Structures are given as structure tokens and as C-alpha cells.
């Protein structure tokens, strides 16, 4: 069963974030707590850790896109 990896809220007033880069691609193994991507907010660019261990099954939102907090970004199986 796949786990949804969602856009985290990285600040108290964060409403959306822009994906700067994915550090993992589809088919890559990722461990919980490992940096999986970079997100740019209106205040800073930050590394984001994976919330699950497994294989990146599908990236749903490509680098460069801006999405609201809690949007499903990828599936980890």
C-alpha cells in the first residue's frame, strides 16, 4: 500500500510552496527522515524529509510547480 507524501507546513503562516528540486526520483529507495526534496516558501528554501520509508512509486508534482500545503506530492510504496 502506498503512502501519500504531502506538502508540509514549514511555517506558521505558510499556505503554499514551490518545489525547487527532487532529491529522489521514481524507483529510488528512500528512508524516513532522509531529505527527499527542496521547497521554497516566501521566506526561505528548505530541505524536506521523507515521512515514510520505501520506494518512490510516483512523483505527482514536478519541480518548478507551486502547490498548497497538504497537496499530495508523491507516492511512496
Amino acid at each position: 500500500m502506498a503512502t501519500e507524501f504531502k506538502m508540509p507546513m514549514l511555517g506558521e503562516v505558510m499556505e503554499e510552496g514551490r518545489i525547487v528540486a527532487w532529491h529522489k526520483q521514481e524507483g529510488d529507495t528512500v528512508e524516513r527522515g532522509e531529505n527527499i526534496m527542496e521547497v521554497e516558501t516566501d521566506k526561505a528554501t528548505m530541505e524536506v524529509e521523507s515521512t515514510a520509508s520505501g520506494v518512490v512509486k510516483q512523483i505527482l508534482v514536478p519541480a518548478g510547480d507551486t502547490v498548497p500545503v497538504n497537496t499530495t506530492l508523491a507516492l511512496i510504496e
Side-chain angles (χ1 to χ4, degrees):
M1 185 164 105
T3 300
E4 293 181 351
F5 175 71
K6 297 185 178 202
M7 175 66 80
M9 180 178 259
L10 301 171
E12 291 180 22
V13 295
M14 179 181 166
E15 294 181 7
E16 64 182 16
R18 183 178 74 84
I19 299 171
V20 175
W22 284 98
H23 297 303
K24 298 291 183 174
Q25 300 302 316
E26 291 179 3
D28 289 351
T29 300
V30 65
E31 296 295 325
R32 183 177 184 182
E34 183 178 6
N35 289 337
I36 191 170
M37 63 183 284
E38 289 179 54
V39 171
E40 179 181 65
T41 68
D42 58 342
K43 297 185 181 190
T45 300
M46 295 175 244
E47 299 278 336
V48 177
E49 297 178 350
S50 177
T51 54
S53 295
V55 175
V56 179
K57 181 177 180 181
Q58 185 177 11
I59 293 176
L60 303 171
V61 181
D65 282 10
T66 300
V67 295
V69 168
N70 214 28
T71 298
T72 301
L73 304 174
L75 301 175
I76 299 173
E77 192 169 69

